[in-house]
Amino acid sequence: EDPPPTCSPNPCANAGTCVEDASGNFASCDCAAGWTGTTCSVPVTCAVLSPTSPLSVSYSSAQSTGSVATYTCGAGYTLQGSATRSCADDGFGTGVWSGSEPTCQRITCPALTITAPLQSDTTDTDFGTTVNYSCATGYRLVSGGATSATCGAAGWSPAALPTGEIVTRPAQTNPSNGTGDDGNNEYNTL
């Protein structure tokens, strides 16, 4: 853009102020915040942000002054830090983003406290993990209890651990030629 010869009429756009040299000729434009260029006709912009996955960014408008960048994390992650940054003019015609880039932290669930006779097929606690429950030999899961749980954004679901009960068998009946008494009805006893 070619500079104008004089300040009359004001060649500076967007509320810019024309500055004359000692001879009364155009010297420069003193641009209002958000504008730059010889005649203040170029908007100040911030650099495009390039976050690394799982972090992503969207903009309220082009990366010009006043634009807000909003960060989000992909599924299985939580945002650590401020979710937004604003584009501002540094006063020298360069756009700068406020604050710093946030990070994404992997969601994990607390370790499950599995005690005998309850068993699980994994000790993994990462987001999306499904734990399947079972019982040691001679025990079974109590009817109606959960058989699995999944780690999600709010923790384990369902949160309650199931319980195990001892497997019982019907009482032993006397054989046709004698008697028999095992004393109890528990699994693996005679």
Side-chain angles (χ1 to χ4, degrees):
E1 135 185 45
D2 292 330
T6 67
C7 283
S8 184
N10 184 1
C12 305
N14 302 302
T17 304
C18 189
V19 178
E20 296 177 333
D21 63 16
S23 304
N25 295 321
F26 174 85
S28 66
C29 284
D30 185 10
C31 298
W35 296 95
T36 190
T38 305
T39 59
C40 305
S41 59
V42 178
V44 172
T45 58
C46 288
V48 172
L49 299 169
S50 301
T52 304
S53 183
L55 186 64
S56 61
V57 67
S58 61
Y59 304 97
S60 62
S61 60
Q63 293 82 26
S64 56
T65 56
S67 176
V68 175
T70 303
Y71 290 92
T72 55
C73 292
Y77 293 85
T78 57
L79 190 73
Q80 304 295 305
S82 177
T84 60
R85 296 172 74 186
S86 299
C87 178
D89 186 339
D90 69 354
F92 300 101
T94 302
V96 292
W97 289 107
S98 64
S100 59
E101 184 174 271
T103 59
C104 293
Q105 183 176 13
R106 182 91 170 132
I107 294 173
T108 58
C109 288
L112 293 167
T113 306
I114 305 290
T115 56
L118 190 61
Q119 299 173 330
S120 66
D121 64 349
T122 184
T123 57
D124 190 2
T125 60
D126 284 341
F127 178 87
T129 297
T130 297
V131 174
N132 296 297
Y133 302 116
S134 62
C135 283
T137 303
Y139 294 85
R140 65 177 170 223
L141 293 174
V142 173
S143 179
T147 58
S148 65
T150 302
C151 177
W156 291 107
S157 180
L161 290 172
T163 56
E165 65 184 0
I166 196 161
V167 174
T168 58
R169 58 180 173 80
Q172 187 175 19
T173 58
N174 288 333
S176 59
N177 312 0
T179 62
D181 183 11
D182 68 359
N184 63 43
N185 299 343
E186 293 181 359
Y187 175 84
N188 212 22
T189 59
L190 294 176

